[in-house]
Amino acid sequence: MFRSGNKQYHHQKQLQPHSFVHNGSNSSTTKVSGNEDIDHHSLIARKEAATGTIPVPTDHAKSKGFCATVQRQLVDAEPILAELEQTFMISKEKMNEIIARFVEEMKNGLDHENATLAMIPTFVSGRPTGTETGRYLALDLGGTNLRVCEVKLKGAGNFEIQQQKYKVSPELKAGEMRDLCDFIADCVDSFIAEKEGSIDDEPLQLGFTFSFPVFQTSINRGLLKQWTKGYACKNAVDKDVVVSLQDAFLRKNVPVNIAALVNDTVGTLMALSYGKPETAMGVIFGTGTNACYYEKITNITKWQGGKTAFEDMVVNTEWGAFDNERKVLPVTIYDRKLDRESINPRFQIFEKMISGMYLGEITRNCILNLIDRQVLFDGNSSQEFNEQYAFETAYMSLIEVDKTAGLEETQHVLEEVLNIPQTSLQDRQIVQTICRLVGHRAARLSACGLAAVLQVSGALHEGCTIGIDGSLYEHYPGFDSNMMQALVELFGSDIENKVVFSLARDGSGLGAAIVAMIAHKAAQHSSDL
């Protein structure tokens, strides 16, 4: 606890960590406790109660002087802390406003094309039973790395995955689409070659997890609508990504058939459903963000694909584009700066406010503003810190959980990694506040998206498991707890008994393989008729 004049600021109590219960399908379930007594207006405090206050020298006279200095600093910082809290905090009323708009945009997307939320029918209907078996390839493209997997489905919700990751260079992300596809084909060829003797003579069926907005015309056909997540390959938009990649496989004699085009959220949903049939939603909170869920086909009024074998179909919301018009989202000057300098300004504003690729940059923009105002670091920055995206979201995670008395871990990031000339304890406290506020806002905005999907799908009353994948969800401190706390504020404590967050490990690989299996069997069945 820190004292400032007559005010007392208590840091938000330490949030409960994940409690993982492993099952045979290599997935992990998190039952988040929403009983945390969290005062969301206390986030301007600096330290965990368990670490005590700032160390005070043993000499009584020195102690008095030291405390007086700290008190004076906090009085000076108080307006800044209040300003930061006002900028980033989201009230229950604001969350309800955002959810109402979210529901409206979802219904628009189900009704017609060219809505802000695309609400794309994925052609994936039916749910895995966990009894399926077979061997398939999965390809996962959508962030920093390309991942190639061999997946063995063993039934009873069990599986094995062998995988290899390949880094996608910035040059490939911004170059020609043909070059990117050739790179992918070479990686798959290398992966198969390293597993000599384990591949059948028949072409391997592959599920392609392509984590970008696609207008899907069949289970293995789709036109790229736009690039996101830092990709901007030329000659790709409005073209079929499966045709482009399959052409690269054919040119390079790679024995692979792309059986299914799968969004990463669909892969997450299907992967967890393999062992948990009650899973009704798949969500990604990682480099980017998106969500999908089961929707009754009768509610997809724009659907023109004819009759299906099942009454439900997975819908890909592409919720990163929510409120591109900026009607309800609390966009700050720091968000606007990030958006202006991004490769896709005025697009994906929701994603830019909550996903791992951008949170560090929002924080950096905020810190730079305070540097320019002579509030932080005596007005000094560094060449490293001035570089766009230099302040990584991973640094935020480290700083958020820094419990050292002098915030030495925060000092290391700022001074040793980012070469800020010198930082005071108060500087580091303010930086920690910014990290916590930006991360906390992201979790509450994410909860708004979950709440909207729960309402539209009907799962809010029935209850469900939400499969979640992504580094932000898995590693960012308190992200899951803050999301659940927001849902508790919105719907009451009973929501904890109805909605369970479940970490879907290897979701994109396993899920894509499951969809490839379903698609291949469907194609064989059709050819036999």
Side-chain angles (χ1 to χ4, degrees):
M1 180 180 73
F2 291 90
R3 295 182 182 272
S4 177
N6 295 323
K7 296 187 178 181
Q8 297 180 351
Y9 297 109
H10 295 266
H11 172 53
Q12 176 184 0
K13 67 188 293 186
Q14 179 68 26
L15 299 175
Q16 294 295 322
H18 288 84
S19 176
F20 295 130
V21 180
H22 293 278
N23 61 24
S25 62
N26 292 341
S27 65
S28 302
T29 299
T30 303
K31 185 69 179 291
V32 182
S33 173
N35 295 325
E36 301 286 337
D37 183 17
I38 298 174
D39 176 9
H40 294 291
H41 296 287
S42 68
L43 289 176
I44 57 177
R46 306 279 34 94
K47 301 292 296 169
E48 300 290 347
T51 65
T53 57
I54 300 173
V56 179
T58 55
D59 180 84
H60 181 67
K62 289 183 179 179
S63 176
K64 287 181 64 177
F66 185 87
C67 290
T69 300
V70 172
Q71 185 178 37
R72 183 173 64 252
Q73 288 180 333
L74 286 176
V75 169
D76 294 338
E78 184 177 340
I80 301 300
L81 300 177
E83 174 190 319
L84 292 171
E85 183 180 22
Q86 180 67 30
T87 299
F88 289 107
M89 290 304 297
I90 302 175
S91 66
K92 176 181 176 181
E93 292 72 24
K94 185 62 177 178
M95 287 195 294
N96 278 319
E97 182 184 358
I98 292 170
I99 293 167
R101 177 67 180 172
F102 223 120
V103 169
E104 180 183 353
E105 289 194 5
M106 287 181 67
K107 291 181 177 179
N108 287 340
L110 291 172
D111 180 70
H112 57 266
E113 303 294 346
N114 301 317
T116 300
L117 290 187
M119 304 297 289
I120 302 167
T122 63
F123 293 83
V124 178
S125 59
R127 306 180 185 226
T129 64
T131 62
E132 296 87 353
T133 60
R135 182 171 57 194
Y136 301 89
L137 283 184
L139 194 63
D140 180 11
L141 178 69
T144 305
N145 298 313
L146 169 73
R147 185 164 64 113
V148 184
C149 310
E150 183 189 50
V151 180
K152 294 180 180 179
L153 304 177
K154 296 187 169 185
N158 297 313
F159 61 91
E160 286 183 0
I161 293 182
Q162 297 186 48
Q163 65 177 19
Q164 181 67 45
K165 291 183 179 180
Y166 305 86
K167 186 174 180 61
V168 183
S169 69
E171 292 76 18
L172 283 170
K173 291 180 181 181
E176 291 288 335
M177 181 62 172
R178 181 186 175 99
D179 294 336
L180 178 63
C181 290
D182 285 349
F183 167 76
I184 294 172
D186 288 338
C187 291
V188 173
D189 191 32
S190 174
F191 179 81
I192 293 174
E194 290 175 2
K195 297 175 63 58
E196 59 181 351
S198 65
I199 304 300
D200 298 331
D201 294 333
E202 291 295 321
L204 278 170
Q205 302 302 315
L206 180 144
F208 184 17
T209 300
F210 188 70
S211 307
F212 303 93
V214 170
F215 177 71
Q216 199 155 353
T217 56
S218 71
I219 192 67
N220 65 345
R221 289 291 182 270
L223 304 178
L224 175 65
K225 296 186 65 178
Q226 69 183 56
W227 287 112
T228 58
K229 305 175 187 177
Y231 281 73
C233 291
K234 304 175 184 66
N235 297 312
V237 176
D238 294 330
K239 294 186 178 179
D240 194 315
V241 294
V242 174
V243 170
S244 298
L245 182 56
Q246 190 69 64
D247 178 64
F249 285 146
L250 292 172
R251 284 188 286 104
K252 292 178 175 288
N253 296 314
V254 182
V256 168
N257 175 64
I258 304 174
L261 180 64
V262 187
N263 182 270
D264 56 351
T265 53
V266 178
T268 297
L269 172 59
M270 301 300 281
L272 197 63
S273 296
Y274 189 63
K276 297 179 180 296
E278 72 275 11
T279 305
M281 190 189 314
V283 186
I284 299 294
F285 292 121
T287 303
T289 185
N290 194 13
C292 70
Y293 71 104
Y294 284 102
E295 180 63 86
K296 293 189 180 302
I297 292 179
T298 54
N299 293 335
I300 311 173
T301 52
K302 67 180 180 182
W303 171 251
Q304 297 179 351
K307 292 183 178 181
T308 60
F310 301 91
E311 64 177 11
D312 294 335
M313 178 175 288
V314 179
V315 171
N316 167 21
T317 66
E318 288 298 340
W319 76 4
F322 168 67
D323 200 36
N324 273 339
E325 303 83 359
R326 305 188 186 187
K327 293 184 177 180
V328 295
L329 286 177
V331 182
T332 69
I333 59 173
Y334 314 114
D335 301 305
R336 292 190 181 96
K337 183 176 186 295
L338 180 149
D339 181 58
R340 284 195 305 271
E341 297 172 351
S342 69
I343 64 172
N344 57 342
R346 305 296 299 187
F347 288 99
Q348 300 295 110
I349 189 61
F350 186 62
E351 179 173 79
K352 289 172 181 174
M353 295 176 75
I354 70 172
S355 64
M357 180 175 179
Y358 302 104
L359 295 185
E361 182 67 2
I362 295 170
T363 301
R364 188 184 75 95
N365 287 342
C366 185
I367 293 172
L368 284 173
N369 176 268
L370 295 183
I371 291 174
D372 290 342
R373 293 162 57 183
Q374 302 287 310
V375 173
L376 288 177
F377 318 145
D378 290 327
N380 295 314
S381 185
S382 68
Q383 181 177 351
E384 290 80 2
F385 192 77
N386 288 339
E387 293 182 4
Q388 192 177 20
Y389 294 99
F391 193 85
E392 300 177 9
T393 302
Y395 300 157
M396 295 175 62
S397 298
L398 292 173
I399 292 171
E400 275 224 31
V401 297
D402 187 357
K403 300 177 183 179
T404 57
L407 296 182
E408 286 89 356
E409 294 175 7
T410 302
Q411 183 177 19
H412 173 76
V413 171
L414 295 173
E415 297 183 12
E416 302 300 324
V417 178
L418 296 171
N419 286 326
I420 301 295
Q422 188 176 16
T423 66
S424 68
L425 178 58
Q426 178 177 279
D427 289 335
R428 300 191 288 275
Q429 291 169 343
I430 292 175
V431 168
Q432 190 179 61
T433 294
I434 296 170
C435 291
R436 286 175 170 164
L437 288 172
V438 172
H440 191 260
R441 184 189 69 162
R444 288 173 76 81
L445 288 175
S446 299
C448 292
L450 296 180
V453 176
L454 288 170
Q455 288 187 16
V456 172
S457 66
L460 180 62
H461 303 291
E462 300 170 3
C464 70
T465 294
I466 301 176
I468 306 179
D469 196 5
S471 57
L472 189 68
Y473 174 79
E474 186 172 2
H475 299 299
Y476 197 89
F479 194 83
D480 59 343
S481 300
N482 286 329
M483 283 197 301
M484 181 57 77
Q485 177 62 28
L487 293 179
V488 168
E489 288 182 39
L490 291 164
F491 304 116
S493 59
D494 191 48
I495 194 70
E496 299 173 272
N497 301 318
K498 293 182 177 180
V499 174
V500 176
F501 299 157
S502 188
L503 179 62
R505 298 182 185 276
D506 290 320
S508 298
L510 172 62
I514 291 173
V515 178
M517 176 269 301
I518 293 173
H520 181 55
K521 288 185 175 181
Q524 287 180 322
H525 178 72
S526 297
S527 63
D528 292 340
L529 295 178

